Amino acid sequence: MGIKEKANTTNLGAFILECTGSYRERPAFILKEASGSRRPLSFFEFNQIVLKISQILKARYPETGFKIGLWGENRVEWCALAIATWNAGGTLVPLMHIATDSEIKNIIATAKLDGLFISPKLEKTQNYGVKDTFLMDFTQTRGQSSVKSLGDLI
């Protein structure tokens, strides 16, 4: 079965799940490791990460309709978090990586985010008033740092 045959899929998460069955070991993305090296991330690995993040989000936010902000440039984690948020019953609030601090604060206040994932490139020491703030990085862990990483969660 080719990707073109998947056109009847109901949503992106279902599409990735179907691709996992058909293309299990094929690369879905290229992941940049904490060391700076790059490696292929298979459809199976990507799907496992999405499912794990979905479980974490469901546990943290048991009510559907929670709002997760994603503030960062184009990266694998952005895609995984978006699909996991939708899969867990949440609403995605995308934030442009080129937005100013003032714009970010305004969007966050207006959207009333429950969680915020920030690209490591945009990490600031500033508190944006969101209870759960994490760095958007699978490969990095922060341990006892005040801002945890996605790697700490999964």
Side-chain angles (χ1 to χ4, degrees):
M1 278 201 255
I3 290 179
K4 290 180 182 178
E5 296 171 31
K6 306 284 184 198
N8 292 331
T9 303
T10 57
N11 62 51
L12 187 57
F15 175 74
I16 293 293
L17 184 60
E18 286 182 30
C19 286
T20 299
S22 301
Y23 309 109
R24 182 180 178 89
E25 298 306 321
R26 287 191 182 169
F29 296 95
I30 301 296
L31 179 64
K32 185 175 180 182
E33 300 280 3
S35 65
S37 64
R38 297 176 189 274
R39 73 170 181 87
L41 185 70
S42 72
F43 276 95
F44 177 76
E45 290 175 291
F46 180 75
N47 190 54
Q48 292 303 301
I49 290 169
V50 167
L51 293 175
K52 178 70 173 173
I53 296 169
S54 292
Q55 290 172 347
I56 292 165
L57 292 174
K58 284 178 185 177
R60 288 184 98 78
Y61 312 109
E63 300 292 323
T64 59
F66 62 89
K67 297 176 192 160
I68 297 294
L70 299 182
W71 184 24
E73 70 284 359
N74 186 12
R75 55 189 298 139
V76 175
E77 290 90 345
W78 203 104
C79 186
L81 282 160
I83 295 169
T85 299
W86 296 324
N87 189 44
T91 300
L92 176 69
V93 180
L95 305 163
M96 288 295 295
H97 68 284
I98 58 173
T100 65
D101 275 346
S102 173
E103 291 169 328
I104 294 298
K105 286 179 184 176
N106 185 35
I107 293 167
I108 288 172
T110 303
K112 297 181 175 87
L113 298 179
D114 297 297
L116 176 64
F117 289 86
I118 301 173
S119 164
K121 292 180 181 178
L122 299 172
E123 180 187 15
K124 313 258 195 285
T125 56
Q126 194 166 13
N127 180 348
Y128 290 98
V130 180
K131 182 183 134 199
D132 289 332
T133 302
F134 299 96
L135 285 185
M136 193 185 314
D137 193 330
F138 292 153
T139 63
Q140 183 180 25
T141 57
R142 304 283 295 238
Q144 299 302 315
S145 173
S146 61
V147 177
K148 299 282 188 205
S149 173
L150 186 55
D152 290 316
L153 290 177
I154 60 174

